[in-house]
Amino acid sequence: MRSRSSSTRPPDGRGPSLGGAALLRERRLSALVLDELRRALPVPLGVDLPTDKRLRALCEAVIDDPGRHARLEAWAQACGASPRTVARLFRSELGTSFGQWRQQVLLARAVTLAARKLPMASIAAELGYASPSAFSAMVRRSVGAPPSRFLAS
């Protein structure tokens, strides 16, 4: 028969046993973290792709090199379509504007670059921003947090 104790080992079986007060504190912290995660606004980082062949080719080119062109007009010209046609296709196929979609591509790429521990200035330059502060402003507008917090590992 096992004796009941007021201490508990962590789930992984390693580390010291937690006493009653420490166990209660850990449970409260866990409940708080779970509550905060449930309340947190999602930050979409996925990049939707269209089914239209013309638009898909343009989208794949943007994903391959998002800093090549900053404006829809340049991307449309590069793929041989009018800016109006491309804008219409973005709305009908993806339900968003080109600018919003491209911003998602940039954020997803920024996360990838940050995971490789690149400095913020390098990430900004890689994504075609004139300065780290311009990149920082885009991230802050998009996700409501500075890059140092959003891209923190």
Side-chain angles (χ1 to χ4, degrees):
M1 178 173 195
R2 249 173 119 184
S3 66
R4 288 190 97 142
S5 170
S6 63
S7 66
T8 304
R9 281 214 169 277
D12 64 4
R14 295 185 297 193
S17 296
L18 297 176
L23 182 60
L24 182 59
R25 180 176 184 271
E26 185 173 293
R27 285 182 180 155
R28 286 180 178 157
L29 284 171
S30 297
L32 175 63
V33 168
L34 187 58
D35 186 51
E36 288 298 316
L37 288 172
R38 286 182 181 137
R39 292 173 189 253
L41 296 174
V43 176
L45 286 179
V47 178
D48 293 331
L49 290 173
T51 56
D52 180 272
K53 289 179 184 178
R54 300 168 293 174
L55 189 58
R56 187 162 187 118
L58 183 145
C59 288
E60 288 173 353
V62 173
I63 290 169
D64 288 343
D65 186 6
R68 185 177 349 158
H69 306 294
R71 304 186 46 82
L72 172 62
E73 293 76 16
W75 283 106
Q77 183 180 16
C79 76
S82 77
R84 279 183 64 165
T85 298
V86 173
R88 181 181 48 77
L89 286 170
F90 264 97
R91 285 278 178 216
S92 65
E93 287 271 324
L94 300 172
T96 189
S97 70
F98 170 75
Q100 291 167 328
W101 182 86
R102 182 175 175 268
Q103 196 167 47
Q104 287 303 116
V105 171
L106 293 171
L107 288 170
R109 178 68 62 89
V111 168
T112 301
L113 296 172
R116 294 193 321 211
K117 307 288 186 203
L118 290 178
M120 204 58 59
S122 297
I123 294 172
E126 169 94 14
L127 298 178
Y129 282 86
S131 68
S133 62
F135 171 70
S136 180
M138 181 278 289
V139 172
R140 189 170 276 131
R141 260 191 328 272
S142 301
V143 299
S148 58
R149 190 166 136 217
F150 174 69
L151 299 173
S153 52

